Amino acid sequence: QVQLVESGGGLVQAGGSLRLSCAVSGRTISKDGIGWFRQAPGEEREVVAVDHWIGSPYYADAVKGRFTISRDKVKNTVFLQMNLLKPEDTAVYYCAVRRIHTPTKAAEVDYWGQGIQVTVSS
């Protein structure tokens, strides 16, 4: 059974940083597409950052230059480094994996994390 377990969320002041981690078990993700999505209250789940083992990462315009997606191949873990956080970044963040391909939208995701709250205060 594939499981994605997220950690590292919480409350932070505007301008601060957080590092989200997503530990994946049951599947090696070294050649899968990985991503982070987020969903604010009353909003649709949207792409934050996605990447593939070969190619360049994609970032939503709202986070470009502030967020960085990466993976640790040894630990089979996905990360999202979030810097210069803004109140509008407040949302539940979801780790995502798509088998072999890049998850360009939520409907393409094969495996989801449980979601983790990120709250940015002004």
Side-chain angles (χ1 to χ4, degrees), residues 19-92:
R19 182 176 173 85
L20 303 183
S21 298
C22 174
V24 181
S25 61
R27 180 180 177 83
T28 299
I29 61 169
S30 60
K31 294 185 178 180
D32 286 344
I34 57 172
W36 290 91
F37 293 69
R38 68 185 182 186
Q39 187 168 21
E43 303 291 334
E44 296 182 351
R45 192 169 299 185
E46 64 180 13
V47 172
V48 176
V50 296
D51 196 20
H52 196 265
W53 75 279
I54 183 170
S56 299
Y58 165 84
Y59 297 95
D61 288 342
V63 308
K64 195 172 299 181
R66 300 188 296 121
F67 291 11
T68 303
I69 187 171
S70 63
R71 77 179 85 196
D72 186 323
K73 297 176 183 178
V74 175
K75 295 183 177 180
N76 209 44
T77 300
V78 183
F79 301 98
L80 183 68
Q81 179 67 45
M82 303 183 293
N83 298 324
L84 298 172
L85 283 161
K86 304 175 180 180
E88 49 263 46
D89 294 318
T90 296
V92 176

Side-chain angles (χ1 to χ4, degrees), residues 90-113:
T90 296
V92 176
Y93 284 70
Y94 297 88
C95 180
V97 172
R98 186 184 183 189
R99 295 188 296 267
I100 306 301
H101 305 286
T102 303
T104 60
K105 55 186 179 181
E108 296 175 341
V109 173
D110 291 310
Y111 308 106
W112 288 104

